Amino acid sequence: MPPPQRKQIDNMVDSKATSQAAAQAAASRAALNDILLDIQRKHGHRTIHLANALATDGALLPSGVATLDDLLGGGFLRRKLNMLVSQPTSGAMSLVFNLIANAQKRDEVVVFIDMQAALDAPYAGQCGVDLKRLFIVTPETDTQALELVRDLAATNIVSLIILDGLADIRSLRRLRQSIAAFRTTLLLISQRPAEAAQLQLGVSCANWLYQHQHIIGCQIQARLLRHPNQASGSEVTFPLYFASGSD
């Protein structure tokens, strides 16, 4: 057994070597990242990407609510324009936060495009959203928002883009064509349906849920207005508890 002084010296040497190794590893990762970005700029975003993107490259993005996923045939559609058609106080935003939280649990990258700067971040956090991992974008114009959607989808890294508050929904057909080549799920929140949306889901609050005379949630009624693979007109109801998701 080495004497205490020798052991202390050995520990210092080991610590220094570990620090040097960590610094070298960080420098190598930074250099590799620069190389990968350069390759993507020269040859396109789809040329090279991480393998975990392929692991989650299925056709569907589960909502996290089993009843709703059954209605949707497994979840919201990737590479497609999905739309939630709802009115204020319908519970739609709580449902969106539940979707975001569920995506984050699977290490999916989520971006929320908030046209009206009205996102209730504290409430989103109460609903299970990891605010430290949620990217929020506030464009100045609809045109800028649509350009951002195209750019974000083209990275092939962002799994879910929420677009809330878009004023002009007439230009969505071009956007639908832009995201078709990428694995992103685009979910637009609107008070009226748009012809360009391939999946349209109507969401309303059928009944309020109470506990000791306090509203703790609502009974969501979800009606399938349009789907490329499922019969339109089908609907389900399920409880959605505020700040806790669906049971």
Side-chain angles (χ1 to χ4, degrees):
M1 179 176 180
Q5 186 177 7
R6 174 62 182 275
K7 186 176 181 180
Q8 184 178 12
I9 293 174
D10 289 344
N11 289 340
M12 292 175 61
V13 171
D14 291 342
S15 177
K16 184 177 181 180
T18 301
S19 299
Q20 290 175 342
Q24 290 174 353
S28 297
R29 286 194 297 270
L32 177 60
N33 187 60
D34 290 340
I35 293 171
L36 295 178
L37 289 174
D38 189 54
I39 291 173
Q40 288 184 329
R41 280 193 293 265
K42 289 181 179 178
H43 304 287
H45 291 286
R46 293 176 64 83
T47 305
I48 187 168
H49 47 76
L50 290 173
N52 65 347
L54 295 177
T56 57
D57 200 25
L60 302 171
L61 181 71
S63 69
V65 180
T67 305
L68 179 57
D69 285 339
D70 287 343
L71 176 69
L72 298 175
F76 290 97
L77 303 175
R78 295 189 190 271
R79 309 176 191 274
K80 306 290 184 183
L81 173 55
N82 303 258
M83 174 175 281
L84 279 187
V85 182
S86 65
Q87 300 300 317
T89 70
S90 65
M93 194 57 68
S94 295
L95 182 61
V96 168
F97 291 153
N98 190 70
L99 171 64
I100 294 173
N102 189 64
Q104 289 179 329
K105 290 176 182 177
R106 299 192 309 276
D107 292 327
E108 308 261 13
V109 177
V110 184
V111 176
F112 195 109
I113 299 180
D114 185 13
M115 296 299 301
Q116 300 175 349
L119 177 68
D120 188 343
Y123 179 67
Q126 293 174 15
C127 290
V129 175
D130 186 347
L131 299 178
K132 293 181 179 179
R133 296 169 54 207
L134 177 64
F135 295 92
I136 300 176
V137 183
T138 309
E140 295 181 355
T141 64
D142 282 6
T143 300
Q144 186 183 26
L146 298 179
E147 291 175 351
L148 281 166
V149 169
R150 286 192 289 266
D151 291 344
L152 289 167
T155 65
N156 234 25
I157 295 174
V158 179
S159 299
L160 173 61
I161 300 175
I162 308 293
L163 179 54
D164 184 27
L166 189 71
D168 184 9
I169 60 175
R170 292 172 297 177
S171 56
L172 290 177
R173 189 168 295 279
R174 292 196 308 272
L175 185 60
R176 188 177 82 175
Q177 297 170 351
S178 300
I179 66 171
F182 307 106
R183 61 182 294 275
T184 302
T185 296
L186 175 59
L187 180 61
L188 179 69
I189 306 171
S190 176
Q191 294 186 21
R192 62 187 189 278
E195 184 66 24
Q198 291 128 307
L199 187 157
Q200 296 181 21
L201 184 70
V203 176
S204 61
C205 178
N207 294 293
W208 297 109
L209 301 176
Y210 292 88
Q211 184 178 61
H212 305 306
Q213 298 183 338
H214 296 289
I215 296 176
I216 60 170
C218 64
Q219 191 77 9
I220 293 288
Q221 184 174 31
R223 180 180 177 85
L224 199 56
L225 305 177
R226 175 183 292 178
H227 196 290
N229 306 316
Q230 303 292 113
S232 300
S234 302
E235 61 182 50
V236 295
T237 58
F238 53 90
L240 189 71
Y241 297 99
F242 299 151
S244 63
S246 177
D247 67 356

